């Protein structure tokens, strides 16, 4: 009988996060001030983030201790299980061994709490009483609401208006944890008022919501700080518990992966899951192929330019070097809302540029096809974001079959899709659209990159 | 550091179900034919159920082996975790130790797959190609859809119309697993057509949906069988994996419960969770208090009559001896849809009548209050059904505090509430209603009990 699940006792919860800064082949590009376009000082970032997180962002230490109060919250659901997908293997009739690391057992059903809890803790420790953030479909917002509730911090969430109206469940989850949720654009910020003046019917976007949350913190006279759920180095680092646990669990399984696959939007799920394996490549001579999968309709890593760009639509956030489609690029409304960011994490971008990570893009239909195959074999309904990793894993398993090779494939199942059933409905009823590769829009958007001296 | 979770490796998944038939203080009352009102023969039940399940229903064996293919599916998510609610204890400032067994990690988020998988397996083994069933809000339907998909059996689900229209997510989950879902009452059955003729605007009810599913199987000329998600003895027995695992996990925790609390509608979650502890009371002299909690608006165990009644609204299902509010009793539309059954499991009823189990009833508002307290301490959002068990556990923990006594409290968290957020919205916004105890309606309904000679 092949084993299905590899569990770790909570005594084996990682004690330190893995910080890839220590192993980067070349030093990271500077982060630039959106106004002066000069490298930012910690002072600038300190308006938005507590000092502990800023120090983590630039730390060259390979291992950063996880504070005990953070581990104590992680213990509510971590370590998460590693599954061998025996039924999927059987259905594909593949000689490959397929494993997935499942983050959907967290209280909000995704990997997002791994950094939310850490960020809430460090803010609390530095006396911060209130945080602001943005959220699209609500996965990040609900994770931060949970974390802020635990540490006794007030939270204001700017939720993209179209999701606020169409997806009330995650809004209520946030409110249930005590957060205040606004439909963005709001009249509460200067930027929000500007957007509404230009387009009273604006549906909002993640970029607009980021700008509103940042403005609210930046203009609070130090009373509020801001929290971001992806992109930044410290966020990816907090997520490294995923990959570190998976490494230990694969020891229990007696295997080591030939290929590690994660979906990538801002990059936090991908980085947190894949970097501990990349670490082995970089320092122990392992040769695991590391694959980041993104949607073909928002293809920053595969079709974007590796250059300096603003982190947000309003050009108020810092300028970073990353794969970008241009900060004004507005992706089509695909169902994997968590992957609709115009850029990518600088740390992921740099490693893609250096050839350490392979990037692939898939349209949403073949991803949902793979997600349904997965649900009908492994029983779990995957989040639309995670369906991208599943598609790539299925393709690798089929390739192994074609080539008659046993291969060990590991992918990240970043969350469940029980709150995303409308997307499955669209797929099952034949109403799911795939979008043309938005070449023209990307070209237009890339014309508006900031001009910088770096 | 107090431990949060007690996990079992899948090698420690129970190998046998516990069958309380073996330990019942007095023999069970007979099951009567709805037409003749005489004890039914296996032949009658064989129209609806495969022989293996009928034999389990009447088996006096204490332990019934779980077939390996069923255990192999259980392994997808079982054993489920046992948590110590340390943050809840702290918030209540109680000397009590509070534990909960969490079934929400199953692919559909509830305990229902434990019997769905077993029923699908036995049907498959006897060559059944298609099943019918009913579902209210969709928890049972989605569990059976998952199980039928795994064993390659077609499934037709009669879903209460008001839920079909208002709660599309679980419908889509069922369709995603390949099931066909109808809004009940339908025009597909004689009974459905009769209901629609009398009330073209009928919203449906669980009783009506049961009648439609039973009729469809009974008139299929043997091609389809019927599957029921609660009430029957074999269903409760399949659920005993919950309590058996909890027993083992409490050994790891070094504790034994003074009180075990489960929510009870049809009784399958309650029986499966509590009976292994009752077994210790009955055979090893343990003195654990066993509490079944039901909604005050549908109080079969606390206010119903212990007598013979039909299992369904249409008087087509067998007549059983149970606590009942009368088969025509229509409970108000509370949010704990899974607890809105006019009767209770005969095996639970008999033990309540014998004083082995204590029954309590709570209105829904204090239950939601306890559920929000739980979500804000333990981070998990409970299903409305499970909130009844939480309310009782919180009350017991507060009583322990008042009395200054350490007490070990164990309750069953039968599922998560991520698909029930509308109920939380109603509670948080002050729109949740509590209903008067429906004394008059119960009295009226009890006048229509069948007249039987037993």
């Amino acid at each position: 009988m092949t084993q299905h699940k590899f569990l770790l006792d909570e005594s084996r919860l990682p004690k330190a996060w893995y910080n890839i800064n220590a192993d980067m082949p070349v030093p990271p590009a500077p982060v630039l001030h959106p106004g002066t376009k000069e490298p930012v000082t910690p002072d600038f970032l300190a308006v938005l983030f507590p000092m502990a997180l800023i120090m983590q962002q630039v730390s060259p230490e390979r291992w950063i201790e996880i504070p005990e109060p953070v581990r104590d919250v992680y213990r509510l659901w971590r370590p998460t299980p590693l599954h061998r997908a025996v039924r999927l293997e059987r259905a594909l009739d593949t000689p490959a061994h397929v494993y997935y690391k499942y983050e959907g057992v967290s209280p909000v059903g995704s990997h997002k709490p791994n950094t939310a809890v850490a960020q809430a803790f460090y803010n609390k420790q530095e006396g911060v009483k209130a945080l602001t953030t943005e959220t699209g479909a609500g996965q990040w917002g609900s994770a931060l609401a949970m974390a802020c509730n635990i540490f006794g911090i007030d939270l204001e969430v700017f939720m993209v208006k179209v999701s606020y109206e169409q997806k009330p469940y995650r809004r209520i989850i946030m409110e249930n944890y005590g957060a205040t949720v606004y439909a963005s654009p709001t009249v509460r910020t200067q930027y929000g008022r500007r957007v509404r003046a230009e387009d009273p019917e604006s549906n909002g976007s993640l970029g607009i919501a980021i700008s509103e949350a940042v403005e609210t913190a930046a203009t609070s006279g130090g009373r509020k700080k801001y929290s971001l759920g992806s992109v930044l180095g410290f966020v990816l680092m907090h997520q490294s518990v995923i990959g570190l646990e998976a490494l230990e669990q694969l020891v229990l399984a007696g295997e080591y992966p030939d290929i590690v696959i994660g979906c990538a939007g801002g990059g936090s799920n991908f980085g947190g899951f894949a970097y501990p394996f990349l670490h082995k490549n970089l320092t122990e001579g392992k040769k695991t192929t590391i694959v980041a999968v993104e949607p073909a309709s928002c293809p920053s890593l595969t079709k974007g330019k590796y250059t300096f760009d603003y982190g947000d639509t309003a050009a108020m956030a810092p300028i970073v070097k990353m794969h970008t489609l241009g900060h004004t690029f507005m992706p089509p409304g695909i169902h994997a809302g968590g992957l609709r960011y115009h850029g990518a994490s600088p740390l992921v971008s740099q490693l893609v540029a250096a050839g350490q990570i392979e990037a692939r893009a898939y349209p949403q239909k073949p991803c949902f096809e793979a997600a349904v195959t997965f649900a009908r074999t492994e029983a779990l309904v995957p989040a639309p974001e995670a369906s991208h990793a599943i598609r790539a894993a299925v393709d690798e398993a089929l390739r192994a079959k074609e080539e008659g090779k046993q291969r060990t494939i590991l992918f990240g199942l970043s969350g469940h899709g029980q709150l995303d059933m409308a997307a499955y409905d669209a797929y099952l009823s034949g109403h799911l659209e795939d979008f043309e590769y938005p070449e023209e829009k990307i070209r237009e958007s890339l014309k508006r990159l900031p001009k910088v001296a770096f």
Side-chain angles (χ1 to χ4, degrees), chain A residues 36 58 78 151 258 291 338:
Chain A
T36 65
V58 295
R78 303 206 71 85
F151 287 105
D258 298 301
V291 181

Side-chain angles (χ1 to χ4, degrees), chain A residues 244-276:
Chain A
L244 293 169
E245 288 176 7
L247 266 172
E248 269 212 69
Q249 288 164 313
L250 282 171
V251 172
L252 297 180
E255 304 227 42
Y256 195 84
D258 298 301
I259 179 162
V260 168
I261 302 165
C263 63
S268 78
N269 162 67
F270 174 76
F273 172 58
Y275 283 2

Side-chain angles (χ1 to χ4, degrees), chain A residues 267-285:
Chain A
S268 78
N269 162 67
F270 174 76
F273 172 58
Y275 283 2
F277 295 91
L278 190 57
H279 169 59
K280 301 277 183 193
N281 281 2
L282 295 170
T283 63
E284 294 179 19

Side-chain angles (χ1 to χ4, degrees), chain A residues 183-385:
Chain A
S184 165
T186 72
V187 293
R188 306 179 63 86
T189 67
Q190 213 173 4
Y191 186 66
R193 289 189 295 271
R194 205 174 89 203
V195 170
R196 290 165 68 112
E198 281 167 16
D199 176 10
E201 303 301 310
S202 169
N203 275 328
S205 74
L206 204 54
I208 295 167
I210 292 176
S211 302
E212 288 206 280
V214 166
E215 182 187 324
T216 302
T219 59
S220 70
R223 286 183 304 109
K224 300 173 185 177
K225 292 210 184 286
Y226 166 73
S227 180
L228 185 65
S230 193
V231 179
L232 295 172
F234 65 76
V235 179
L236 274 65
M237 186 190 76
H238 298 153
Q239 294 291 355
S240 67
V241 287
I242 307 173
L244 293 169
E245 288 176 7
L247 266 172
E248 269 212 69
Q249 288 164 313
L250 282 171
V251 172
L252 297 180
E255 304 227 42
Y256 195 84
D258 298 301
I259 179 162
V260 168
I261 302 165
C263 63
S268 78
N269 162 67
F270 174 76
F273 172 58
Y275 283 2
F277 295 91
L278 190 57
H279 169 59
K280 301 277 183 193
N281 281 2
L282 295 170
T283 63
E284 294 179 19
K286 297 278 191 192
K287 305 256 182 246
T288 298
T289 305
I290 313 272
V291 181
V293 190
E294 61 182 8
S297 55
C298 190
S300 54
L301 291 171
T302 51
K303 303 284 185 183
K305 193 169 171 185
Y306 182 47
T307 185
F308 283 91
D309 197 7
Y310 297 102
D312 69 336
T313 308
M316 287 168 59
I319 296 167
V320 294
K321 192 171 182 189
M322 62 179 174
H323 284 83
T324 180
L325 302 165
H327 63 282
T328 58
F329 177 76
M330 187 71 77
I334 58 164
H335 286 286
L339 306 183
R340 290 176 69 238
Y341 182 57
H342 69 273
S345 166
L347 283 175
V348 175
S349 294
Q350 196 184 337
L351 289 159
V352 168
Q356 303 286 351
I357 293 170
E358 192 184 309
R360 296 182 195 171
Y362 284 108
Q364 64 180 350
K365 259 195 233 177
C367 293
F368 273 98
E369 186 199 7
V372 171
T373 299
F374 184 83
R376 292 186 180 178
T377 49
E378 295 295 312
L380 288 170
V381 179
E385 289 81 5

